[in-house]
């Protein structure tokens, strides 16, 4: 995803001299595609992420569209006060990009696990929050954010994520993307879990459960209509995310509660307890029930619960 992001940002910058990229001493072998073409619009501020946000805010106040880039928690947790007070309060055109969301930096431990970011960023004012599922979505969302005034947060994977969409999707601001059709239940995925969710949906089909699969690339603004349609048409909703409490699941649950939609609902997510073991992203996901088999089991249990209650 990060390669798709930087390629698209470079393409956009070639036609828009307001676009800047600011990073915190990383991105080597990735950011050169931008830095070499636009050295006058590229800044490496060093290991000083809070200062990075301040610099970006100043550039934005002079009319620039600024993308700031760092690993997982470093541009979010370390800079939260600066994002809140310098960027969001003033509604500035700064886009915070975190690479390695979720458990992508699995072997580096909890310091590098981006598992609270969607919750804390979505609590801020004036902000868009996006988490693409694959490089195709990442490319499209980069363009959307570059052309949308105001603060934004973009959560990317680390590297090497496969293209999930077999047909290029119509990515629109605040809209879900239907990836698979089904009327027995709906699985809503955000971020890099989509490929795993699709594998789970195949396991479910072999068991006679046809799941509608939605990619929800924007947490803010959220596609309320897609959630309402899923509730009305399938009566069962499972959300899946590589994130702890406060992400997609509660956002969908709030829609269901506010609109009084009677559905069987479950949020499948990280437990909220720090993952203390070391391992690959796939291994750590599996310990949290976020494997194809784990998602399939959760979906089966939810459909069984619905059938019992009916």
């Amino acid at each position: 995803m990060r390669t798709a992001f930087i390629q698209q940002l470079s393409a956009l910058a070639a036609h828009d001299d307001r676009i800047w990229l600011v990073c915190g001493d990383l991105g080597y072998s990735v950011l050169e595609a931008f830095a070499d073409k636009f050295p006058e619009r590229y800044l490496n501020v060093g290991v000083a992420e809070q200062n990075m946000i301040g610099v970006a805010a100043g550039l934005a106040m002079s009319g620039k569209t600024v993308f700031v880039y760092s690993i997982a928690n470093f541009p979010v947790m370390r800079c939260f006060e600066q994002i809140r007070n310098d960027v969001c309060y003033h509604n500035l055109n700064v886009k915070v990009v975190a690479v390695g969301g979720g458990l992508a930096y699995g072997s580096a431990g909890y310091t590098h696990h981006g598992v609270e970011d969607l919750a804390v960023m979505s609590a801020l004012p004036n902000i868009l929050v996006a988490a693409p599922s694959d490089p195709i979505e990442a490319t499209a969302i980069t363009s959307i954010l570059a052309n949308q005034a105001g603060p934004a947060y973009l959560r990317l994977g680390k590297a090497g994520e496969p293209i999930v969409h077999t047909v290029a999707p119509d990515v629109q601001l605040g809209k879900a993307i239907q990836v698979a059709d089904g009327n027995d239940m709906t699985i809503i995925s955000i971020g890099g879990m989509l490929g795993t969710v699709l594998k789970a949906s195949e396991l479910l089909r072999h068991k006679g459960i046809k799941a509608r699969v939605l990619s929800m690339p924007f947490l803010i603004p959220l596609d309320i209509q897609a959630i309402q349609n899923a509730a009305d048409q399938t009566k069962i909703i499972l959300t899946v995310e590589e994130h702890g409490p406060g992400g997609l699941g509660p956002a969908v649950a709030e829609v269901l509660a506010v609109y009084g939609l009677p559905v069987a609902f479950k949020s499948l997510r990280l437990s909220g307890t720090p993952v203390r073991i070391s391992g690959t992203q796939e291994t750590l996901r599996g310990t949290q029930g976020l494997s194809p088999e784990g998602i399939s089991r959760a979906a089966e249990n939810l459909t069984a619960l619905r059938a019992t209650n009916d």
Side-chain angles (χ1 to χ4, degrees), residues 8-265:
Q8 185 63 11
L9 190 67
S10 298
L12 294 167
H15 301 283
D16 187 346
D17 61 9
R18 298 171 301 169
I19 293 177
W20 282 61
L21 177 61
V22 183
C23 80
D25 197 33
L26 80 161
Y28 303 106
S29 77
V30 177
L31 301 186
E32 288 86 350
F34 189 99
D36 292 345
K37 291 180 180 178
F38 314 105
E40 73 286 357
R41 288 186 271 151
Y42 172 77
L43 288 176
N44 183 339
V45 302
V47 185
E49 290 87 357
Q50 292 168 323
N51 186 49
M52 176 178 71
I53 299 299
V55 169
L59 288 167
M61 292 183 77
S62 67
K64 311 304 182 185
T65 300
V66 189
F67 285 77
V68 298
Y69 177 100
S70 192
I71 290 176
N73 291 319
F74 301 151
V76 178
M77 300 302 188
R78 185 171 292 175
C79 308
F80 186 75
E81 182 179 8
Q82 287 72 29
I83 296 170
R84 178 182 185 268
N85 295 346
D86 295 351
V87 175
C88 291
Y89 177 64
H90 298 286
N91 200 22
L92 297 180
N93 207 12
V94 175
K95 323 299 181 182
V96 179
V97 182
V99 60
L103 300 168
Y105 285 93
S107 60
Y110 181 64
T111 59
H112 286 59
H113 294 170
V115 294
E116 303 96 357
D117 55 319
L118 296 177
V120 299
M121 295 301 274
S122 63
L124 293 172
N126 300 318
I127 197 166
L128 301 180
V129 177
S133 71
D134 75 347
I136 292 178
E137 287 188 19
T139 297
I141 291 172
T142 300
S143 294
I144 290 171
L145 298 188
N147 290 291
Q148 189 76 23
Y153 175 59
L154 176 59
R155 182 202 229 211
L156 298 175
K158 184 181 176 184
E161 294 86 5
I163 292 175
V164 178
H165 292 281
T166 56
V167 177
D170 180 17
V171 183
Q172 298 182 38
L173 176 63
K175 296 296 182 183
I177 302 165
Q178 183 164 318
V179 186
D181 194 17
N183 292 315
D184 293 330
M185 69 174 304
T186 299
I187 306 177
I188 306 177
S189 171
I190 190 169
M193 289 304 307
L194 181 60
T196 306
V197 166
L198 286 172
K199 291 177 182 178
S201 72
E202 285 302 309
L203 295 177
L204 290 169
R205 282 185 180 274
H206 290 310
K207 297 179 179 181
I209 301 172
K210 295 181 179 179
R212 177 182 304 179
V213 176
L214 299 180
S215 173
M216 191 71 77
F218 289 95
L219 186 59
I220 298 178
L222 187 66
D223 191 342
I224 293 174
Q225 187 63 60
I227 297 168
Q228 291 175 318
N229 291 344
D232 180 59
Q233 296 164 12
T234 72
K235 309 300 183 185
I236 303 171
I237 295 179
L238 174 68
T239 61
V240 180
E241 57 191 312
E242 192 174 354
H243 186 273
L248 175 66
V252 172
E254 182 177 6
V255 173
L256 300 176
V258 167
Y259 290 93
L261 301 172
V263 299
F265 172 76

